[in-house]
Amino acid sequence: MTAELISGTEISKAILAEIKQEVDEMREKTGTVPGLVTILVGENPASVSYVTLKVKTALNLGFKEIQDNQPADISEQDLLALIDKYNNDPEIHGILVQLPLPDHVDDKKVLDAIDPDKDVDAFHPVNVGRLMIGGDVVRFLPCTPAGIQELIVRSGTETSGAEVVVVGRSNIVGKPIAMMMAQKGVGANSTVTIVHTRTKDLAAHCQRADILIVAAGVPNLVKPEWIKPGSTVIDVGVNRIGTNEKTGKAILRGDVDFDKAKEIAGKITPVPGGVGPMTICMLMRNTLRSAQKSI
Ligand code: GUN
């Protein structure tokens, strides 16, 4: 059997088209568009390329987008003052501070200074708490987990009562997606297990999974024999395993041995082109929802 490919590239395009339509309607009805500020400190090449893509996507959707680049030596105090300025700007509905920040700046202090109702990354403790409570109090879902859930739903995978196994317990993927899948609601109601580096028998847990979500950051960690036949496999890993000599581009691998796993799974995400494109898409949706809520 060859698994059905869950294309984040295609699904994200469809969602961005839906968002664009909602932005157009909002502009016509209210004269307002979603406003997003991306704050980039310094010139870390990976951060520059992520922020460039976020800015381009926001502009294509018709958002008001402020790209606020700051020098690497900006003081923590000045950065906090900048966030305060955008917290009080009614035309800004989403504030994103690109991580990592330089060593002299306390990341936590900066992220905690963002108004939780403009925290479109959903990294603020208030939003982490809201996610834990679930239901109507949730304002923003963190972008990568929200993208994963969207891929599961749009691929037609049944989640209610499903055994979900999450490999990895990070704050930005493993812990939140586990909580989201266990909540009541559409695309959830699952029975969730989190496994990690100290888990005794990783293979045995994975073999039970109707939905296997892997966010470990270890290339080819998940072996084909760990996969339950017909299951849905979501590979969040983006591991650079080398460089293509001809193009100079990074060669990427996921956390799952894709070529063999696709012969066993029912549905599977590729790397690249799976979870990756969904993250920015969910950032845009969070900003749109924030703008809608503010009107
Ligand atoms: N750096 C790498 N990924 C992210 C992200 O999702 N949000 C922010 N703010 N910084 C990042």
Side-chain angles (χ1 to χ4, degrees):
M1 180 176 137
T2 297
E4 181 188 316
L5 208 63
I6 307 175
S7 170
T9 307
E10 293 302 318
I11 293 174
S12 65
K13 264 189 211 157
I15 296 173
L16 288 173
E18 292 165 16
I19 295 173
K20 180 142 188 6
Q21 195 174 348
E22 285 192 60
V23 174
D24 290 346
E25 282 166 16
M26 179 188 250
R27 189 194 306 103
E28 276 165 32
K29 279 193 196 142
T30 68
T32 302
V33 293
L36 174 67
V37 60
T38 46
I39 300 175
L40 172 65
V41 180
E43 292 174 356
N44 173 316
S47 294
V48 170
S49 89
Y50 283 135
V51 166
T52 305
L53 196 55
K54 289 171 187 175
V55 169
K56 197 174 137 200
T57 310
L59 291 174
N60 281 341
L61 292 172
F63 285 16
K64 174 188 164 94
E65 158 66 45
I66 298 176
Q67 184 175 5
D68 195 332
N69 291 357
Q70 295 292 329
D73 63 355
I74 185 175
S75 70
E76 188 177 277
Q77 201 184 2
D78 286 352
L79 193 53
L80 292 173
L82 196 65
I83 289 169
D84 191 49
K85 180 181 94 170
Y86 292 119
N87 279 343
N88 291 299
D89 182 340
E91 291 192 356
I92 291 298
H93 308 103
I95 301 172
L96 180 134
V97 179
Q98 187 67 26
L99 300 174
L101 290 169
D103 289 346
H104 68 277
V105 177
D106 181 347
D107 291 14
K108 185 166 162 31
K109 220 171 175 179
V110 171
L111 295 179
D112 288 2
I114 297 172
D115 177 347
D117 291 342
K118 295 190 179 189
D119 169 38
V120 283
D121 260 330
F123 290 164
H124 192 288
V126 165
N127 286 318
V128 177
R130 287 169 169 169
L131 183 152
M132 186 86 170
I133 294 164
D136 291 346
V137 303
V138 177
R139 188 77 181 252
F140 303 114
L141 290 173
C143 301
T144 301
I148 293 169
Q149 194 173 36
E150 201 67 49
L151 289 177
I152 292 170
V153 170
R154 292 193 187 224
S155 68
T157 301
E158 177 60 76
T159 60
S160 183
E163 291 285 340
V164 171
V165 174
V166 178
V167 183
R169 52 179 161 177
S170 70
N171 284 328
I172 58 169
V173 183
K175 282 194 264 183
I177 190 62
M179 187 48 60
M180 286 160 61
M181 297 307 294
Q183 298 284 16
K184 285 185 181 166
V186 175
N189 289 323
S190 305
T191 304
V192 181
T193 306
I194 302 179
V195 298
H196 48 74
T197 44
R198 300 294 175 93
T199 297
K200 281 185 187 145
D201 192 346
L202 216 50
H205 287 287
C206 292
Q207 281 158 355
R208 286 191 295 104
D210 300 311
I211 301 172
L212 181 62
I213 300 169
V214 193
V218 180
N220 291 345
L221 171 73
V222 173
K223 311 291 176 251
E225 60 272 20
W226 297 12
I227 292 168
K228 181 175 173 180
S231 62
T232 293
V233 177
I234 307 288
D235 189 350
V236 192
V238 183
N239 305 293
R240 285 160 200 263
I241 59 154
T243 309
N244 182 315
E245 283 182 14
K246 280 189 193 149
T247 62
K249 284 191 178 168
I251 302 171
L252 302 177
R253 283 282 181 284
D255 291 350
V256 177
D257 184 345
F258 178 82
D259 287 335
K260 293 189 185 127
K262 77 177 191 318
E263 300 304 323
I264 300 163
K267 300 173 195 220
I268 189 167
T269 58
V271 176
V275 175
M278 297 298 290
T279 300
I280 289 186
C281 187
M282 295 296 107
L283 175 71
M284 300 301 143
R285 195 166 73 179
N286 278 348
T287 308
L288 169 66
R289 296 283 173 259
S290 179
Q292 286 168 333
K293 185 108 183 162
S294 81
I295 295 171

